[in-house]
Amino acid sequence: MDENYDINAATDQDSELKLEEIVNEQRLNPSHVQLCDADIQKYEITEFLTPKSWRVSDFDVDIGAMDEVIFRLQGIVREKILPPMAKPASRDRMVKQRPYLRTAIAITGLGDIAFDKAMEKLEEVFLRFTNNFPADSVSGYDPVLHKDTGFNVFHAHSRYFTKVSAYQDESDNIGFHPLVDPDNVLASMVGDGFIHAIDNEVQFLRREILPDGTARYYAYNPASIRIGDIVEISVAFVAFPAQENKYKFVVALRGILVLDQEAREKADILRMRSRYTPAKRQVAVLRRTKRQLYEGQIDIEDTQQRMARMRLNEDTVHNSNTMSQD
């Protein structure tokens, strides 16, 4: 976002967003809760085995068991690392980076009240985790303020791959969506104990408002998501075991729903116009003067003019003397 982005228009539009239900067919009827309005204390921190983790969860009557709670938050895209991935120059190097490859996004509310309330809820969630484990054993909470404006920024990510454990095997692998991995770059890295499981999946959706006012959701190309777009992200709160009896708190990204791109597209148009509109032609009035190319240079034309004036003076004097003699 730069001087071409209308922050006021974006935040006004953002604050009026309706709370829409994101359909996630890959998960078993999760409950979707607006983070800014969530009652964090009513949820449990439950241990799961696939993979080994602890999650903010609630009892799901449809499956008759505890399931992670999906929270939603609206904001403006500030930073992103989204698929698809380009074909690597060295596949071996990419395979070595497999445990760290991720989808990530950072959104901001640019001072929006609901967004700032959601940031307070994030802090409350982290405190729930710290109270669930020994003192000073949980890390990962790192609130970030935008350096230039001082606005809150909310970060979430999901890794592409999971290392199989005693409770998982390669049969738990699920395929990548064609829009996420059109060239099978990620699919080619599955194996050797790494899978793309349900916990690694991030859904990319676009909302369309139909003439009758109802909303339709469809798969969206993540390559078309830009900084400045207004989106809704779905996240879960998870803690994973780390070394030396420590735990890592993670805001796990589950989905990105594109709500509006108008403010960003207007900024793109203004930026394009400023880039390709020729500057006004500058016309300067030059006062031509003679310049000496070398120090001490004698101007030949000026010398000739002085000599001509001298001859004219001599002729005048001569004629005057002649007339006086006559």
Side-chain angles (χ1 to χ4, degrees):
M1 290 178 284
D2 54 19
E3 67 277 4
N4 296 303
Y5 191 87
D6 190 342
I7 292 179
N8 293 326
T11 50
D12 288 343
Q13 195 169 12
D14 188 32
S15 63
E16 297 172 359
L17 292 177
K18 303 300 180 182
L19 307 181
E20 307 289 350
E21 186 73 20
I22 298 177
V23 178
N24 188 339
E25 296 179 354
Q26 297 295 336
R27 308 195 67 82
L28 298 175
N29 298 319
S31 59
H32 293 262
V33 181
Q34 289 298 316
L35 181 57
C36 63
D37 298 323
D39 182 4
I40 302 301
Q41 299 304 318
K42 82 172 190 177
Y43 300 113
E44 301 290 335
I45 306 295
T46 306
E47 182 179 358
F48 289 77
L49 297 178
T50 54
K52 178 79 169 180
S53 57
W54 290 260
R55 303 166 189 249
V56 175
S57 59
D58 198 9
F59 186 80
D60 191 321
V61 295
D62 293 328
I63 64 175
M66 299 295 286
D67 194 13
E68 71 176 16
V69 180
I70 304 296
F71 296 89
R72 295 182 294 171
L73 171 65
Q74 299 80 33
I76 301 168
V77 178
R78 177 65 199 173
E79 300 173 23
K80 62 184 178 66
I81 304 175
L82 301 179
M85 292 189 63
K87 292 183 178 180
S90 172
R91 183 182 180 279
D92 292 339
R93 179 179 298 179
M94 183 67 73
V95 168
K96 291 180 180 179
Q97 296 176 347
R98 184 168 44 188
Y100 314 105
L101 298 177
R102 64 181 62 187
T103 296
I105 192 169
I107 63 174
T108 178
L110 297 177
D112 178 70
I113 296 176
F115 188 91
D116 290 343
K117 285 179 60 179
M119 295 298 295
E120 295 175 0
K121 295 293 183 177
L122 173 61
E123 185 178 48
E124 187 177 349
V125 169
F126 181 73
L127 290 176
R128 284 292 309 276
F129 276 95
T130 59
N131 291 332
N132 194 70
F133 297 101
D136 301 323
S137 64
V138 183
S139 64
Y141 174 68
D142 185 20
V144 177
L145 291 177
H146 187 259
K147 295 180 180 179
D148 297 332
T149 62
F151 295 130
N152 285 314
V153 178
F154 189 99
H155 291 260
H157 77 270
S158 178
R159 294 186 177 182
Y160 285 116
F161 302 102
T162 294
K163 182 73 172 177
V164 296
S165 65
Y167 302 98
Q168 285 181 302
D169 56 39
E170 295 192 3
S171 65
D172 292 317
N173 183 70
I174 62 174
F176 288 93
H177 193 283
L179 293 176
V180 173
D181 191 29
D183 298 320
N184 293 320
V185 174
L186 295 169
S188 67
M189 288 188 276
V190 172
D192 301 325
F194 285 92
I195 61 174
H196 178 69
I198 188 68
D199 223 36
N200 305 114
E201 184 183 38
V202 177
Q203 293 194 36
F204 299 93
L205 303 171
R206 181 75 160 89
R207 184 187 68 172
E208 178 184 7
I209 304 299
L210 301 177
D212 62 0
T214 59
R216 181 175 75 94
Y217 303 92
Y218 57 90
Y220 193 65
N221 189 347
S224 298
I225 299 175
R226 301 282 193 272
I227 291 174
D229 288 347
I230 298 175
V231 300
E232 177 177 272
I233 63 174
S234 295
V235 300
F237 299 113
V238 188
F240 293 101
Q243 296 179 349
E244 300 178 356
N245 295 320
K246 301 290 185 179
Y247 304 88
K248 180 65 177 295
F249 173 73
V250 173
V251 180
L253 182 63
R254 298 291 183 241
I256 300 176
L257 172 66
V258 177
L259 296 171
D260 190 274
Q261 296 176 310
E262 183 178 356
R264 189 264 299 169
E265 289 174 346
K266 287 181 178 178
D268 288 345
I269 292 173
L270 292 175
R271 193 177 301 108
M272 181 176 61
R273 288 176 178 173
S274 65
R275 184 179 303 164
Y276 294 106
T277 300
K280 291 183 178 180
R281 185 177 179 182
Q282 300 294 327
V283 179
V285 178
L286 298 179
R287 296 182 179 274
R288 300 300 302 276
T289 58
K290 291 184 177 296
R291 294 179 297 174
Q292 291 187 344
L293 298 180
Y294 302 96
E295 185 177 356
Q297 174 183 343
I298 299 176
D299 193 309
I300 297 176
E301 184 177 350
D302 287 348
T303 302
Q304 291 175 340
Q305 291 177 353
R306 287 197 296 270
M307 292 179 65
R309 286 196 295 270
M310 289 174 62
R311 285 196 298 270
L312 178 61
N313 292 335
E314 290 176 355
D315 291 342
T316 301
V317 172
H318 176 73
N319 293 335
S320 175
N321 292 336
T322 303
M323 290 177 63
S324 61
Q325 291 176 359
D326 294 342

